[in-house]
């Protein structure tokens, strides 16, 4: 592969990643949640990608699940 081929592949990879981020952001806005329902902090993009229906940030979700186990 030539240097130009590598550059093209890198550019395409970056474009795909940006498109995935934009799609996750749109899906989240459609779902109506971009902020944690408990602490009102932003829900991380990584969490949204992993679980698009998330209503809590990872920290608050962990706390919530621990509270549920103790009951």
């Amino acid at each position: 592969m030539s240097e130009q081929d590598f550059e093209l592949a890198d550019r395409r990879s970056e474009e795909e990643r940006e498109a995935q981020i934009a799609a996750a952001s749109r899906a989240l806005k459609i779902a109506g949640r971009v902020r944690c329902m408990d602490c009102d902090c932003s829900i991380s993009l990584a969490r949204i990608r992993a679980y698009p229906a998330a209503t809590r940030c990872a920290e608050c979700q962990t706390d919530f699940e621990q509270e549920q186990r103790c009951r």
Side-chain angles (χ1 to χ4, degrees):
M1 288 182 87
S2 70
E3 180 77 21
Q4 189 176 14
D5 291 334
F6 282 114
E7 289 175 12
L8 180 60
D10 282 343
R11 188 171 47 235
R12 285 184 182 164
S13 177
E14 182 65 24
E15 288 171 357
E16 282 182 28
R17 190 167 64 95
E18 288 176 9
Q20 290 172 343
I21 290 169
S25 179
R26 282 191 304 274
L28 185 61
K29 287 177 183 174
I30 290 169
R33 269 275 165 214
V34 292
R35 305 198 66 80
C36 176
M37 64 185 278
D38 291 345
C39 71
D40 203 39
C41 290
S42 295
I43 299 173
S44 72
L45 186 55
R47 176 147 173 75
I48 294 165
R49 283 182 178 166
Y51 185 61
T55 58
R56 292 182 177 90
C57 66
E59 295 82 11
C60 288
Q61 185 64 37
T62 298
D63 292 344
F64 176 78
E65 290 173 6
Q66 287 175 347
E67 288 174 14
Q68 294 299 309
R69 281 188 223 133
C70 292
R71 291 183 180 183

